[in-house]
Amino acid sequence: MAVEITDQSFQETVLNSDKPVLVDFWAAWCGPCRMLGPIIEEVATDFEGKALVGKVDVDNNQQISVDYGIRNIPTVLIFKNGEVVDKIVGVAPKEVIAEKLNAYL
């Protein structure tokens, strides 16, 4: 299950993680975000124990979105050692997301 990440928990959950972290920036009103949601949940299950998968609701957590220049959603960022190492904008197939995340394990 993907972890809910907020402005308050971002530092601890993402930047201080000892594992790679995939973060899905989304909003409830965004159609493509709703299409990507189940894929992100599958990736979270597949990578349990190997990587952290989380979601940021951009409407409720605007600071993170501003800090990372999120202009289009859905946007998926992959972090390793507190740094952004990869980015996917728009809906991508599970295989593409898993392949990108695998590269940082």
Side-chain angles (χ1 to χ4, degrees), residues 16-52:
N16 295 343
S17 176
D18 58 350
K19 295 180 180 140
V21 184
L22 181 145
V23 181
D24 173 26
F25 290 84
W26 72 287
W29 49 264
C30 164
C33 298
R34 289 197 304 272
M35 288 170 50
L36 185 62
I39 296 170
I40 295 297
E41 291 297 335
E42 285 181 33
V43 170
T45 300
D46 292 352
F47 282 85
E48 194 168 339
K50 296 184 276 186
L52 180 69

Side-chain angles (χ1 to χ4, degrees), residues 51-91:
L52 180 69
V53 176
K55 296 172 75 75
V56 173
D57 183 333
V58 297
D59 289 335
N60 298 328
N61 301 284
Q62 296 178 357
Q63 190 57 53
I64 304 169
S65 305
V66 168
D67 290 350
Y68 288 94
I70 305 300
R71 290 185 180 79
N72 301 308
I73 53 173
T75 291
V76 173
L77 298 182
I78 299 174
F79 291 81
K80 184 161 184 167
N81 300 323
E83 300 290 322
V84 176
V85 292
D86 215 332
K87 177 179 186 173
I88 303 166
V89 178
V91 178

